[in-house]
Amino acid sequence: MSTRAYRGRSPQQRVAERRERLLAAALDLWSELGWSGVSVRGVCARSGLTDRYFYESFTDRDALLLAVFDRVRDELTGGLPAAPFTGEPRTVMRTMFLALFTALADDPRYARVAFTDPAGSPALETRRHDALLAVADAVAAGVSSVAPGDFRGHALFCVGGVGGLISAWLAGRYPAAPGELADRCTELCARVFGV
């Protein structure tokens, strides 16, 4: 690979830009066709890049799909506060829920990746399961910092319930605005945690 700058960008910057184009193309295709409809050829065509550039960033399609999932997971969990919680638990929970529902409403592509589509891919199912456990553990640790106790089971129950509500919301079977969903989830989870 050349080490010279091209149009003011270093080789590393150009690789990073191409990787971003591939990720964006894969996210678009995933949201339109499901993960199983994402192919190396399709992603290259959508991004305007050749397969040479695909393999510069990803070993195979599964590596690309996991990278897309990780990107969406990180975007959606960006509103999750680090333990210990700073502030009243209900306020912290509502802020977290509002950030999640707003992100899903702002970019519906995220919903398909995170909540409705990993079934059938062992790698994606494992990644989704691990992400849900990590969220539950973070919430349990946060609640434990203001109300001593072991809240992992409570958190797993809430994460599963919120996931079910999200699925109904995405399917149009539980119509509500993001703020209304945040209020409802906050109330239900606060009851489960007893805070």
Side-chain angles (χ1 to χ4, degrees), residues 7-39:
R7 293 188 180 179
R9 295 186 317 274
S10 71
Q12 295 82 6
Q13 289 171 317
R14 294 193 310 274
V15 169
E17 289 167 3
R18 288 189 292 266
R19 185 176 194 278
E20 287 303 312
R21 287 171 57 187
L22 292 163
L23 286 168
L27 177 58
D28 286 343
L29 288 170
W30 190 336
S31 71
E32 295 166 14
L33 307 171
W35 70 265
S36 61
V38 177
S39 66

Coordinates of all heavy atoms in Angstrom, one line a residue, residues 7-39:
R7 N -4.8 13.5 -2.4 CA -5.9 14.5 -2.2 C -6.0 15.0 -0.7 O -7.1 15.1 -0.2 CB -7.2 14.0 -2.7 CG -7.2 13.9 -4.2 CD -8.6 13.5 -4.7 NE -8.6 13.4 -6.1 CZ -9.7 13.1 -6.8 NH1 -10.8 12.9 -6.2 NH2 -9.6 12.9 -8.1
G8 N -4.8 15.1 -0.1 CA -4.8 15.6 1.3 C -5.1 14.6 2.4 O -5.2 14.9 3.5
R9 N -5.3 13.3 2.0 CA -5.7 12.3 2.9 C -4.6 11.2 3.0 O -4.1 10.7 1.9 CB -7.0 11.7 2.6 CG -8.1 12.7 2.8 CD -9.5 12.1 2.6 NE -9.7 11.2 1.5 CZ -10.0 11.5 0.3 NH1 -10.1 12.7 -0.1 NH2 -10.2 10.5 -0.6
S10 N -4.2 10.7 4.2 CA -3.2 9.7 4.3 C -3.8 8.3 3.9 O -5.1 8.2 3.8 CB -2.8 9.6 5.8 OG -3.9 9.1 6.6
P11 N -3.0 7.3 3.7 CA -3.5 6.0 3.3 C -4.5 5.5 4.4 O -5.5 4.9 4.1 CB -2.2 5.1 3.2 CG -1.2 6.1 2.9 CD -1.5 7.4 3.6
Q12 N -4.1 5.7 5.7 CA -5.0 5.2 6.8 C -6.4 5.9 6.7 O -7.4 5.3 7.0 CB -4.3 5.5 8.1 CG -3.1 4.7 8.3 CD -1.8 5.4 7.7 OE1 -1.9 6.5 7.2 NE2 -0.7 4.7 7.8
Q13 N -6.4 7.2 6.4 CA -7.6 7.9 6.3 C -8.5 7.4 5.1 O -9.7 7.2 5.3 CB -7.4 9.4 6.1 CG -6.9 10.1 7.3 CD -6.4 11.6 7.0 OE1 -5.8 11.8 6.0 NE2 -6.8 12.5 7.9
R14 N -7.8 7.1 4.0 CA -8.6 6.5 2.9 C -9.1 5.2 3.2 O -10.3 4.9 2.8 CB -7.7 6.5 1.6 CG -7.3 7.9 1.2 CD -6.7 7.9 -0.2 NE -5.6 7.0 -0.5 CZ -4.3 7.2 -0.2 NH1 -3.9 8.4 0.3 NH2 -3.4 6.3 -0.5
V15 N -8.4 4.3 3.9 CA -8.9 3.0 4.3 C -10.1 3.2 5.2 O -11.1 2.5 5.1 CB -7.8 2.2 5.0 CG1 -8.4 0.9 5.6 CG2 -6.7 1.8 4.0
A16 N -10.0 4.1 6.2 CA -11.1 4.3 7.1 C -12.3 4.9 6.4 O -13.5 4.4 6.7 CB -10.7 5.3 8.2
E17 N -12.1 5.7 5.4 CA -13.3 6.3 4.6 C -13.9 5.2 3.8 O -15.2 5.1 3.8 CB -12.8 7.4 3.7 CG -12.4 8.6 4.5 CD -11.7 9.7 3.6 OE1 -11.5 9.4 2.4 OE2 -11.3 10.7 4.2
R18 N -13.1 4.3 3.2 CA -13.7 3.2 2.5 C -14.5 2.2 3.4 O -15.6 1.7 3.1 CB -12.6 2.4 1.7 CG -12.1 3.2 0.5 CD -11.2 2.4 -0.4 NE -10.0 2.0 0.2 CZ -8.8 2.7 0.1 NH1 -8.8 3.8 -0.7 NH2 -7.7 2.3 0.6
R19 N -13.9 2.0 4.6 CA -14.6 1.1 5.5 C -15.9 1.7 5.9 O -16.9 1.0 6.0 CB -13.7 0.9 6.8 CG -14.3 -0.1 7.8 CD -13.3 -0.3 8.9 NE -13.6 -1.4 9.8 CZ -14.5 -1.4 10.7 NH1 -15.2 -0.3 11.0 NH2 -14.8 -2.5 11.4
E20 N -16.0 3.0 6.2 CA -17.2 3.7 6.5 C -18.3 3.5 5.4 O -19.5 3.3 5.6 CB -17.0 5.1 6.8 CG -16.3 5.4 8.2 CD -17.1 4.8 9.3 OE1 -18.3 5.0 9.4 OE2 -16.5 4.1 10.2
R21 N -17.8 3.7 4.1 CA -18.7 3.5 3.0 C -19.3 2.1 3.0 O -20.5 1.9 2.7 CB -18.0 3.8 1.7 CG -17.8 5.4 1.5 CD -16.9 5.7 0.4 NE -17.4 5.2 -0.9 CZ -16.7 5.3 -2.0 NH1 -15.5 5.8 -2.1 NH2 -17.2 4.8 -3.2
L22 N -18.5 1.1 3.2 CA -18.9 -0.3 3.2 C -19.9 -0.5 4.4 O -21.0 -1.2 4.2 CB -17.7 -1.2 3.4 CG -16.8 -1.3 2.1 CD1 -15.5 -1.9 2.5 CD2 -17.5 -2.0 1.0
L23 N -19.6 0.0 5.5 CA -20.6 -0.1 6.7 C -21.9 0.5 6.4 O -23.0 0.0 6.7 CB -19.9 0.4 8.0 CG -18.8 -0.4 8.6 CD1 -18.1 0.5 9.7 CD2 -19.4 -1.7 9.2
A24 N -21.9 1.7 5.8 CA -23.1 2.4 5.5 C -23.9 1.7 4.5 O -25.2 1.5 4.6 CB -22.8 3.8 5.0
A25 N -23.3 1.1 3.5 CA -24.0 0.3 2.4 C -24.6 -0.9 3.1 O -25.7 -1.3 2.7 CB -23.0 0.0 1.3
A26 N -23.8 -1.6 3.9 CA -24.4 -2.8 4.6 C -25.5 -2.5 5.4 O -26.5 -3.2 5.5 CB -23.3 -3.5 5.4
L27 N -25.5 -1.4 6.2 CA -26.6 -1.0 7.0 C -27.9 -0.7 6.2 O -29.0 -1.2 6.5 CB -26.3 0.2 7.9 CG -27.4 0.8 8.8 CD1 -27.9 -0.2 9.8 CD2 -26.9 2.1 9.5
D28 N -27.7 0.0 5.1 CA -28.8 0.2 4.2 C -29.4 -1.1 3.6 O -30.6 -1.2 3.7 CB -28.4 1.1 3.0 CG -28.2 2.6 3.4 OD1 -28.7 3.0 4.5 OD2 -27.6 3.3 2.7
L29 N -28.6 -1.9 3.2 CA -29.0 -3.2 2.6 C -29.7 -4.1 3.7 O -30.7 -4.7 3.4 CB -27.9 -4.0 1.9 CG -27.4 -3.4 0.6 CD1 -26.1 -4.1 0.2 CD2 -28.5 -3.5 -0.5
W30 N -29.1 -4.1 4.9 CA -29.7 -4.9 6.0 C -31.1 -4.4 6.3 O -32.0 -5.1 6.5 CB -28.8 -4.8 7.2 CG -29.1 -5.7 8.3 CD1 -30.3 -6.3 8.6 CD2 -28.2 -6.1 9.3 NE1 -30.1 -7.0 9.8 CE2 -28.8 -7.0 10.2 CE3 -26.8 -5.9 9.5 CZ2 -28.2 -7.6 11.3 CZ3 -26.2 -6.5 10.6 CH2 -26.9 -7.3 11.5
S31 N -31.2 -3.1 6.3 CA -32.6 -2.5 6.7 C -33.6 -2.8 5.6 O -34.8 -2.9 5.9 CB -32.4 -1.0 6.9 OG -32.2 -0.3 5.8
E32 N -33.1 -2.9 4.3 CA -34.1 -3.2 3.2 C -34.4 -4.6 3.0 O -35.5 -5.0 2.7 CB -33.4 -2.6 1.9 CG -33.3 -1.1 1.9 CD -32.4 -0.7 0.7 OE1 -32.1 -1.5 -0.2 OE2 -31.9 0.5 0.8
L33 N -33.3 -5.5 3.2 CA -33.4 -6.9 2.8 C -33.3 -7.9 4.0 O -33.5 -9.1 3.8 CB -32.4 -7.2 1.8 CG -32.3 -6.3 0.5 CD1 -31.1 -6.6 -0.3 CD2 -33.6 -6.5 -0.3
G34 N -32.9 -7.4 5.1 CA -32.5 -8.3 6.2 C -31.1 -8.7 6.1 O -30.5 -8.5 5.1
W35 N -30.5 -9.2 7.2 CA -29.1 -9.6 7.2 C -28.8 -10.6 6.1 O -27.7 -10.6 5.5 CB -28.6 -10.0 8.6 CG -29.2 -11.4 9.0 CD1 -30.3 -11.6 9.7 CD2 -28.6 -12.7 8.6 NE1 -30.5 -13.0 9.9 CE2 -29.5 -13.6 9.2 CE3 -27.6 -13.1 7.9 CZ2 -29.3 -15.0 9.1 CZ3 -27.3 -14.5 7.7 CH2 -28.2 -15.4 8.3
S36 N -29.7 -11.5 5.9 CA -29.4 -12.6 4.9 C -29.3 -12.0 3.5 O -28.8 -12.7 2.6 CB -30.5 -13.7 5.0 OG -31.7 -13.2 4.7
G37 N -29.9 -10.8 3.2 CA -29.8 -10.2 1.9 C -28.6 -9.4 1.7 O -28.4 -8.8 0.6
V38 N -27.7 -9.3 2.7 CA -26.5 -8.6 2.6 C -25.4 -9.5 2.0 O -25.1 -10.5 2.6 CB -26.0 -8.0 4.0 CG1 -24.6 -7.3 3.8 CG2 -27.0 -7.1 4.6
S39 N -24.8 -9.1 0.9 CA -23.8 -9.9 0.2 C -22.6 -9.0 0.0 O -22.7 -7.7 -0.1 CB -24.3 -10.5 -1.1 OG -24.5 -9.4 -2.0

